[in-house]
């Protein structure tokens, strides 16, 4: 009797243990919403959730980037263990005039970076009641509000941050 109860308990616990070995696709979906600033199915958000059938190895620090400047897909990648997932982003068709006015062309110009590659920067994170900072080195240029990768430890992969001003950046979700 006791053996059969133990066997049943071990069988019911096995899926929970196995699930802990894989990256949560629900967490990836939430992170994509934060990255894009739009909910799943909305304009600017993911077209659909990450397929829950994917069995991705757990990643301590998934990284999020746009596939291209058109921002039509988010690339979620993990350095160790190495994997990548592409999440298509929903974009409604925009009517583009045949000749753009000079003011519109000037507005479409790329904003001036406040952080340049190789700059030493301070990364901030915090909430009500606490804040932490960490020094790092920018791995790319970024304007105010732009995302960049920052190397904080030579032995670990870079982390993603959002440029606040010259020499300052914040972790996504902790900006001011």
């Amino acid at each position: 009797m006791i053996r059969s109860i133990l066997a049943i308990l071990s069988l019911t616990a096995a899926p929970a243990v196995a699930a802990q070995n894989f990256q949560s696709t629900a967490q990836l979906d939430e992170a994509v919403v934060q990255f894009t600033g739009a909910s799943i199915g909305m304009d600017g958000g993911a077209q659909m959730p990450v397929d829950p059938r994917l069995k991705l190895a757990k990643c301590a620090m998934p990284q999020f980037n746009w596939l291209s400047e058109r921002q039509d897909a988010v690339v979620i990648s993990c350095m160790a263990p190495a994997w990548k997932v592409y999440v298509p982003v929903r974009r409604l068709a925009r009517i583009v005039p045949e000749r753009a006015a000079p003011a519109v062309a000037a507005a479409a110009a790329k904003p001036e970076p406040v952080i340049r590659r190789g700059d030493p920067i301070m990364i901030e994170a915090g909430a009500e009641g606490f804040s932490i900072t960490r020094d790092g080195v920018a791995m790319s240029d970024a304007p105010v509000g732009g995302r960049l990768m920052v190397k904080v430890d030579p032995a670990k992969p870079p982390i993603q941050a959002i440029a606040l001003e010259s020499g300052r950046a914040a972790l996504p979700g902790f900006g001011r």
Side-chain angles (χ1 to χ4, degrees), residues 12-87:
T12 57
V17 171
Q20 292 175 355
N21 294 331
F22 299 112
Q23 181 70 39
S24 166
T25 57
Q27 288 176 341
L28 293 177
D29 289 333
E30 291 173 16
V32 169
V33 168
Q34 286 183 347
F35 180 80
T36 62
S39 298
I40 296 171
M42 302 298 291
D43 186 30
Q47 289 182 5
M48 61 185 58
V50 175
D51 190 343
R53 297 174 292 181
L54 287 175
K55 302 297 181 204
L56 302 168
K58 271 202 178 225
C59 183
M61 181 82 59
Q63 297 171 359
F64 299 82
N65 291 303
W66 291 109
L67 180 61
S68 68
E69 288 183 23
R70 294 185 315 179
Q71 296 184 346
D72 54 355
V74 175
V75 179
I76 308 171
S77 59
C78 184
M79 299 293 270
W83 53 259
K84 278 187 185 181
V85 175
Y86 297 86
V87 180

Side-chain angles (χ1 to χ4, degrees), residues 68-124:
S68 68
E69 288 183 23
R70 294 185 315 179
Q71 296 184 346
D72 54 355
V74 175
V75 179
I76 308 171
S77 59
C78 184
M79 299 293 270
W83 53 259
K84 278 187 185 181
V85 175
Y86 297 86
V87 180
V89 172
R90 183 172 185 209
R91 293 285 179 206
L92 294 179
R94 306 256 193 275
I95 299 174
V96 179
E98 289 187 27
R99 286 191 304 158
V104 173
K110 198 171 187 178
E112 187 66 28
V114 293
I115 295 176
R116 301 244 179 227
R117 181 182 179 147
D119 284 353
I121 61 172
M122 180 175 59
I123 304 166
E124 306 170 357

